[in-house]
Amino acid sequence: MRPEDRLQVHCAKYLKAALPAPGFFSGIEHARKQSLYSGMVQKAKGIKRGLADLNIWYMGRYIGFELKVKSPISPAQQAFGVAMQDNGFRWFVVRSVCELHDLLVSLNIPVLPSMRLLTMPYDAALSVPAPKTKTATRPPRQRNPTAKELARAREWYAVRDKG
């Protein structure tokens, strides 16, 4: 799993526990590898690049969070952030679950201060490299029989059918 994906998973777990009602949050799945055709279909449907990874709606407010571990912000992501701020919404770059908590508190979203303790194991887990997953090994592929082996098998079955 990519570092940004791991951060998003941990942020979603935190928000599930910490975001008070009637708050709502959602992540966005950005398809990385796609065909030219599916990219054209997404573009025709109005799907744009640069949308925030994590979105929160709370009491008439929208807050977008772009999750980054080490990589820089792309021009499309920066343009989305500027567009959100120009429209009166909030947009932030977040690099840890603890930073997400601190931003929510600074935005006067009533998150319990003790929820900051919940962020620490998540951030600690991010500092450890993701475990390598083993790929499934296939059994060795059987080779095709040679012409000589096929002829011998036909001969054997022909003799058996007669007897």
Side-chain angles (χ1 to χ4, degrees):
M1 193 183 292
R2 291 182 25 232
E4 274 87 12
D5 293 338
R6 290 176 63 205
L7 177 58
Q8 187 166 352
V9 166
H10 292 303
C11 286
K13 286 179 184 177
Y14 167 77
L15 287 173
K16 189 174 183 181
L19 188 65
F24 180 82
F25 76 93
S26 179
I28 293 179
E29 178 61 37
H30 300 287
R32 296 257 182 256
K33 296 178 182 176
Q34 60 185 3
S35 68
L36 181 62
Y37 175 76
S38 63
M40 288 172 28
V41 169
Q42 285 183 351
K43 190 172 185 177
K45 289 167 46 176
I47 298 171
K48 298 187 181 191
R49 294 179 143 195
L51 298 176
D53 294 319
L54 204 54
N55 303 284
I56 295 177
W57 294 267
Y58 186 79
M59 303 289 288
R61 295 188 281 172
Y62 165 80
I63 309 158
F65 295 100
E66 185 60 44
L67 305 175
K68 293 291 178 185
V69 174
K70 293 179 183 174
S71 59
I73 302 294
S74 74
Q77 292 165 338
Q78 187 65 41
F80 175 78
V82 169
M84 290 301 101
Q85 291 171 345
D86 288 349
N87 281 292
F89 300 116
R90 306 302 297 264
W91 178 85
F92 300 96
V93 177
V94 171
R95 298 189 183 277
S96 71
V97 185
C98 190
E99 187 177 349
L100 172 66
H101 171 83
D102 293 344
L103 282 169
L104 293 177
V105 170
S106 72
L107 294 168
N108 296 322
I109 294 180
V111 178
L112 294 174
S114 61
M115 293 304 285
R116 193 170 201 285
L117 294 173
L118 184 63
T119 67
M120 293 176 188
Y122 292 141
D123 286 342
L126 289 172
S127 65
V128 176
K132 299 270 184 183
T133 55
K134 292 184 177 180
T135 57
T137 57
R138 295 182 184 173
R141 188 172 176 204
Q142 293 182 343
R143 64 174 180 81
N144 292 333
T146 63
K148 192 175 189 179
E149 291 170 335
L150 287 172
R152 198 175 324 143
R154 282 192 210 104
E155 189 178 300
W156 185 81
Y157 281 112
V159 170
R160 271 197 73 117
D161 288 341
K162 290 181 185 176

